[in-house]
Structure formats: structure tokens, C-alpha cells
Amino acid sequence: MHTLQINQLGIVKRHITRAPQSAVQKLKNFGVATIHEAMGRMGLMHPYMRPIYPHAKLCGTAITALLQPGDNWMLHVAAEQIQPGDVVVAGCTSECTDGFFGELLATSFRKQGCQGLIIDGGVRDIEALENMHFPVFSKAIHAKGTIKATVGSVNVPIICAGMVVYPGDVVIADADGIVVVPAEQALDVANIAEKREANEAIKRSQFETGILGLDLYQMREKLEKAGLKYID
């Protein structure tokens, strides 16, 4: 973790390769759980990352920001790199729950076309952010302010809540969590997710008729072989 981050301090990469917009638009149709399964049960950030208000969700290409503890300077630097459809994803060089982000930065981000923020740290101005309908997923809500004194980096690989995120990756977040799809895999994952969704629709209709999972998934013989016994 530290080798990846420390070797990349003091850098702003202006040109990144984003996942194809066709893949991003397709991934917007699916939930985090479906995309996670479509990736072979990979890609999830730690579950301590939660939406700051109910029903928040987002999907977009990552602008990454590596922050120093208690310092939000790089979020202001990141704002200049945002293109419409991007999501800012912020990690920190060491654990910190200070309020790095609030209403004013959200106003700036939104003007640049930002779809939301994922931050492995704290945020504040929650009521204002909810009224703005600006989706944020964070580790903490904390009123403590931050300074602007020490450089980090923008648009370098970072670790955010246990996941490596590269600039241009697709990040999807909803009430179930946050999943990161590598840019080069985005279209393939979107196609697999589409097939999974169609398959689940068929199963849902079967469950609605009253069929049990025991029969739909042909579990009875396997359970018997595993030693399960029914006692009347």
C-alpha cells in the first residue's frame, strides 16, 4: 500500500484513459451486487464506506486523489481535472476521518460535471449535500475542518477502502456498497452483468410462482449426500 502511494506524491496527471462511455452507460443500469458477481465476486471496497444520505447512488469514471491526513488541498487540485461524467475517488496516506469535503467543494465539483465523491475519510455539510442531491460515500461524517498545506497527488493509482483504483476506472456505488471496475474490463463486465440481470429476472418469475430454491437449484440430492436428514 505505502509503496504504491508514497512513490507517487506531488504528481498531477492531466491526461488519463477513461473507460468507454458506452460501457459506463451500460453499467449504470445495474446494481453493485450484480456488477460484483459479474466480475467474479471481485472489486468491492470495504463495507464501512456508506452513503451519507439514503438512496444516494453514482456511476462514473474515476478521478483519483491522494490526500494527506487533515488536508484537502488535493481535492481542490482534482476539481480542475474533472470532466463531465467523472467521479472523484479519494484515499489518504494514513487513516483520517476529518471533514475533507463539504458544500462548497461539492458546488465546485458539480459545476465541472462531477457525478459524486467516494472518500476514505470524513465529510461534512451533510444536510446541504443531500439538498443538492450530490452523492457522497464516505468512511465518516465529521465536522472537523482541514487545512491546505501538504501536497499529495491527483490521477495516480490509489488505495481507497481496500481497493486499488486507477484513474479512468468505473466506480459504481449504491446502498449495497461500492465496486470498482477496471477501465479495460468495463465493457466485458457490463455485458456479463446484463446477462446476469436477465437470468435473475427469469428466476424471480419462477420464485413468484411458489417454486423453492431447493428445487430450482436442484439442491435436494446434494443436501442428502452432505448428510442432511429430515425428522418428522
Side-chain angles (χ1 to χ4, degrees):
M1 173 176 178
H2 294 297
T3 301
L4 174 65
Q5 294 181 331
I6 290 173
N7 287 347
Q8 304 255 1
L9 287 175
I11 294 171
V12 179
K13 292 187 178 179
R14 291 178 172 169
H15 302 289
I16 63 173
T17 301
R18 292 168 172 83
Q21 272 302 305
S22 58
V24 178
Q25 292 304 315
K26 201 167 188 177
L27 285 167
K28 284 183 179 179
N29 297 319
F30 311 115
V32 166
T34 296
I35 295 169
H36 161 64
E37 295 287 352
M39 289 181 63
R41 303 177 69 196
M42 302 279 288
L44 289 179
M45 290 189 184
H46 290 318
Y48 60 68
M49 299 286 284
R50 301 305 304 154
I52 63 168
Y53 59 83
H55 310 300
K57 60 181 180 179
L58 59 80
C59 176
T61 43
I63 294 292
T64 62
L66 179 59
L67 310 177
Q68 299 285 5
D71 192 315
N72 76 346
W73 214 358
M74 291 303 102
L75 290 178
H76 289 272
V77 174
E80 187 179 31
Q81 304 306 315
I82 294 168
Q83 293 184 10
D86 285 338
V87 171
V88 174
V89 183
C92 195
T93 58
S94 64
E95 186 172 348
C96 184
T97 57
D98 293 353
F100 290 92
F101 184 88
E103 177 187 8
L104 293 180
L105 262 173
T107 302
S108 176
F109 278 22
R110 171 156 284 171
K111 186 63 176 178
Q112 308 309 313
C114 186
Q115 301 300 297
L117 171 72
I118 306 290
I119 182 167
D120 196 0
V123 298
R124 59 186 188 174
D125 300 338
I126 304 308
E127 184 176 357
L129 293 172
E130 182 173 7
N131 289 339
M132 292 172 63
H133 302 291
F134 189 89
V136 177
F137 289 70
S138 70
K139 175 162 61 177
I141 293 171
H142 200 340
K144 185 179 180 182
T146 56
I147 61 172
K148 299 164 184 63
T150 310
V151 297
S153 288
V154 172
N155 280 338
V156 299
I158 65 168
I159 294 176
C160 181
M163 274 302 302
V164 177
V165 185
Y166 287 84
D169 287 349
V170 186
V171 183
I172 305 95
D174 61 24
D176 286 336
I178 306 166
V179 65
V180 180
V181 181
E184 64 275 13
Q185 298 177 25
L187 190 56
D188 288 340
V189 171
N191 290 334
I192 295 170
E194 185 175 50
K195 292 177 182 177
R196 285 190 61 86
E197 194 87 343
N199 187 45
E200 287 186 3
I202 294 171
K203 291 177 181 176
R204 188 178 303 111
S205 65
Q206 291 175 299
F207 280 128
E208 287 172 348
T209 69
I211 191 171
L212 297 172
L214 289 170
D215 299 308
L216 181 61
Y217 301 121
Q218 300 178 337
M219 296 179 181
R220 296 187 185 278
E221 184 177 351
K222 292 180 181 178
L223 286 166
E224 184 179 358
K225 288 181 179 178
L228 183 68
K229 293 181 171 52
Y230 290 84
I231 299 174
D232 295 324

